Amino acid sequence: MIKEVLLPDLGEGIEGAEVSEVSVSIGAKVQEDDTILVLESDKASMEIPAEIAGVVEEILVNTGDEVSTGQLLIKIREIEGKSSPSIKEPTKVEEKKLDIPEKAPIKTLEEPELFKSDTKSKGIFASPGVRRLSRELEINLSVIKGTGAKSRITKEDLHSFIKRQMLMSSGGKQQPIKKEVDFSQWGEIEALKLTRINKITGQRLQQAWQEIPHVTQYDKADITDVDVLRKNLKEEGLKKNIKVTFLPFLMIAVAKVLKEMPKFNSSLSHTNEDLILKHYINIGVAVDTPSGLTVPCIKEVDKKNVFELSEELMDISTRAREKKLKPEELKGSTFTISSLGGIGGTSFSPIVNPPEVAIMGVSKSEWSQVYDKKNDRFNTKYIMPFSVSYDHRVIDGAAAAAFTTRVGLVLSQIENFS
Ligand code: CAO
């Protein structure tokens, strides 16, 4: 029996559409539900599926043809015993047109199974445009996790996949986009080799800066009372050879607020579909070393006191400078603190340390005159400026302002450190 495939009523007032792809050729065997044609109207793209299993007998349209409701498109000769009585609606999808990126960079990628086109796999939902693009780029859709309704693979999923693969294939390295300039033509020069740490840190910072929508919230904390407490503990610490700086107090305050506001202690999943909240608090500390910036991690900060944290800080910062950290000591942080308070400056915007979603930057504290409205007088206070940069995909501005306000308040109350 010959089955005539006619253009069904597309609904929504769509009278006709353009054939954007003829997916089969004469003599080709098709299974029920295989895409035989792809159409594009001004409202949607749609796949026309084969209603029966069979062999393509005749194709009456070409790519670019305008077709209208009821028009004969394709004839399929049925394979005995495989008919399906149901008449199926074409699969409509939301996307209309796709920005098709250049093919060339993708061709250079390795991982063959990722790039073997497999657009007809059952259980994969994707628009015709996405399927067409995946075929052109020879990307296997079954390796992509769709973020659309019913796990449909969207154009954005395909683009994110391509972006990830390109980054991986370049080892996350910055592409050489700069033309070499001979600076010596204007005077004497000297070239310094970047250390391995400089290069790795540079790549990570560049990637974080490009991928994370950063916003920085600036604030100030009154640490007058904590300064008195620190001086007392510093005296006590000296007897045990422990150097007590401000950092342990900051870590304790931050850990307390991270527990109250767990989104700041989270990471986006690799598909950006879930937010992973961590029920542990490990704080990364940016340490300036002669070979570059490193970020060792202090685990379970919420369970440690000022002396324990001070001891650990002395240990990891010393070993970081001597390049004696173990790889696992650089992993697992849930939030990072970058303190320039011992050096100077009034404020700065740190870059989020992925996969974390927030980082605190600390600047040098100063004695200031602060007006007390209630008693109508100025008081001399020790004020520490700090900032929190955050991933705006995860954290809203209001939450960030609440976070820094709370950290400021916790830092002003010495009972939080006993
Ligand atoms: N305000 C005023 N004084 C501060 C301060 C602040 N916010 N922070 C630290 N200090 C004081 C310390 O208390 C200490 O004073 P005392 O000698 O009186 O005890 C002094 O400054 C020196 O502190 P420190 O820098 O040696 O120690 P720390 O615990 O504050 O910091 C460490 C340790 C490892 C974080 C630091 O040495 C370091 O490497 N900082 C650089 C980090 C960096 O490069 N970040 C930039 C990354 S780019 O985003």
Side-chain angles (χ1 to χ4, degrees):
M1 190 189 103
I2 300 284
K3 169 78 189 167
E4 293 191 334
V5 181
L6 309 179
L7 182 65
D9 180 6
L10 302 175
E12 295 173 16
I14 304 172
E15 289 299 319
E18 187 186 310
V19 178
S20 60
E21 182 185 299
V22 179
S23 316
V24 289
S25 52
I26 292 173
K29 271 191 185 165
V30 288
Q31 298 299 321
E32 184 185 341
D33 277 345
D34 277 359
T35 301
I36 51 174
L37 279 181
V38 180
L39 304 181
E40 242 167 62
S41 76
D42 54 352
K43 290 195 180 167
S45 293
M46 63 213 87
E47 288 174 5
I48 304 292
E51 293 163 11
I52 56 166
V55 176
V56 177
E57 185 82 8
E58 201 179 342
I59 299 171
L60 296 113
V61 288
N62 292 308
T63 304
D65 284 359
E66 283 290 331
V67 288
S68 50
T69 308
Q71 185 174 334
L72 178 57
L73 305 170
I74 284 184
K75 289 182 184 174
I76 298 174
R77 182 157 39 81
E78 188 186 352
I79 296 174
E80 279 309 297
K82 293 248 177 171
S83 68
S84 163
S86 62
I87 303 295
K88 291 199 163 49
E89 286 297 310
T91 316
K92 286 189 196 169
V93 288
E94 281 143 29
E95 288 99 338
K96 200 186 136 215
K97 282 251 186 278
L98 284 171
D99 294 332
I100 298 179
E102 289 298 315
K103 249 173 144 175
I106 307 307
K107 291 269 186 194
T108 62
L109 300 174
E110 291 159 13
E111 305 273 6
E113 72 279 12
L114 299 180
F115 294 94
K116 212 174 111 193
S117 177
D118 184 17
T119 59
K120 287 188 178 159
S121 298
K122 294 270 179 217
I124 294 173
F125 298 101
S127 70
V130 169
R131 284 178 185 278
R132 188 170 58 243
L133 181 56
S134 78
R135 271 197 298 275
E136 283 175 15
L137 300 175
E138 296 178 2
I139 292 173
N140 187 348
L141 283 183
S142 65
V143 299
I144 299 179
K145 197 163 190 294
T147 60
K150 292 185 186 165
S151 299
R152 177 176 284 280
I153 298 168
T154 64
K155 179 179 68 173
E156 286 70 31
D157 295 332
L158 203 55
H159 285 173
S160 310
F161 175 82
I162 293 166
K163 210 168 150 190
R164 273 203 305 274
Q165 295 303 320
M166 286 175 80
L167 267 172
M168 275 163 61
S169 76
S170 65
K173 283 182 199 137
Q174 185 178 1
Q175 297 302 316
I177 47 167
K178 288 194 280 182
K179 223 176 118 187
E180 195 179 352
V181 178
D182 177 14
F183 294 103
S184 67
Q185 62 186 299
W186 299 293
E188 208 174 303
I189 60 162
E190 182 187 353
L192 290 180
K193 272 261 169 279
L194 289 179
T195 64
R196 217 177 130 256
I197 292 179
N198 289 150
K199 285 191 234 169
I200 294 169
T201 308
Q203 284 160 16
R204 281 181 59 86
L205 289 171
Q206 186 190 13
Q207 197 174 338
W209 186 248
Q210 283 172 338
E211 287 183 7
I212 298 172
H214 277 78
V215 179
T216 305
Q217 176 73 27
Y218 298 92
D219 218 323
K220 285 175 180 172
D222 175 357
I223 57 162
T224 316
D225 294 341
V226 171
D227 185 47
V228 175
L229 176 64
R230 182 187 83 89
K231 281 184 177 137
N232 290 337
L233 294 182
K234 190 181 160 188
E235 291 288 309
E236 214 180 310
L238 281 177
K239 292 175 204 153
K240 300 183 244 175
N241 251 335
I242 301 174
K243 186 184 163 200
V244 178
T245 63
F246 273 114
L247 211 41
F249 296 91
L250 298 176
M251 294 168 84
I252 290 171
V254 163
K256 187 176 172 64
V257 183
L258 287 177
K259 272 195 174 170
E260 296 167 3
M261 302 175 77
K263 266 196 178 181
F264 288 79
N265 199 53
S266 74
S267 288
L268 277 168
S269 67
H270 74 291
T271 57
N272 289 345
E273 263 189 285
D274 301 299
L275 194 61
I276 317 290
L277 303 177
K278 295 158 210 165
H279 298 302
Y280 52 88
I281 294 172
N282 298 341
I283 295 188
V285 178
V287 179
D288 184 31
T289 79
S291 356
L293 183 67
T294 51
V295 187
C297 163
I298 298 196
K299 308 260 166 32
E300 301 192 306
V301 169
D302 52 321
K303 296 180 183 149
K304 294 174 181 168
N305 64 29
V306 171
F307 287 125
E308 288 166 327
L309 291 171
S310 298
E311 244 184 319
E312 254 189 83
L313 268 171
M314 280 169 61
D315 173 45
I316 57 154
S317 56
T318 307
R319 284 190 297 115
R321 289 178 178 126
E322 291 168 355
K323 293 199 212 164
K324 285 186 181 154
L325 289 173
K326 298 182 196 108
E328 57 270 24
E329 290 178 301
L330 295 160
K331 291 181 195 158
S333 54
T334 57
F335 184 97
T336 291
I337 299 179
S338 175
S339 175
L340 295 174
I343 304 170
T346 53
S347 62
F348 69 104
S349 315
I351 296 178
V352 172
N353 183 23
E356 296 159 30
V357 295
I359 180 170
M360 183 179 187
V362 183
S363 298
K364 194 169 179 62
S365 311
E366 278 187 344
W367 289 96
S368 307
Q369 291 296 306
V370 177
Y371 181 60
D372 171 5
K373 189 163 186 257
K374 205 165 135 204
N375 300 306
D376 189 25
R377 61 180 197 150
F378 281 91
N379 296 317
T380 307
K381 297 278 184 190
Y382 200 34
I383 302 295
M384 186 193 79
F386 69 100
S387 58
V388 171
S389 294
Y390 56 92
D391 184 336
H392 210 346
R393 294 172 299 179
V394 176
I395 293 161
D396 295 330
F403 183 87
T404 59
T405 303
R406 183 74 186 125
V407 169
L409 188 67
V410 171
L411 277 169
S412 68
Q413 301 164 334
I414 52 166
E415 58 271 25
N416 292 312
F417 306 97
S418 50

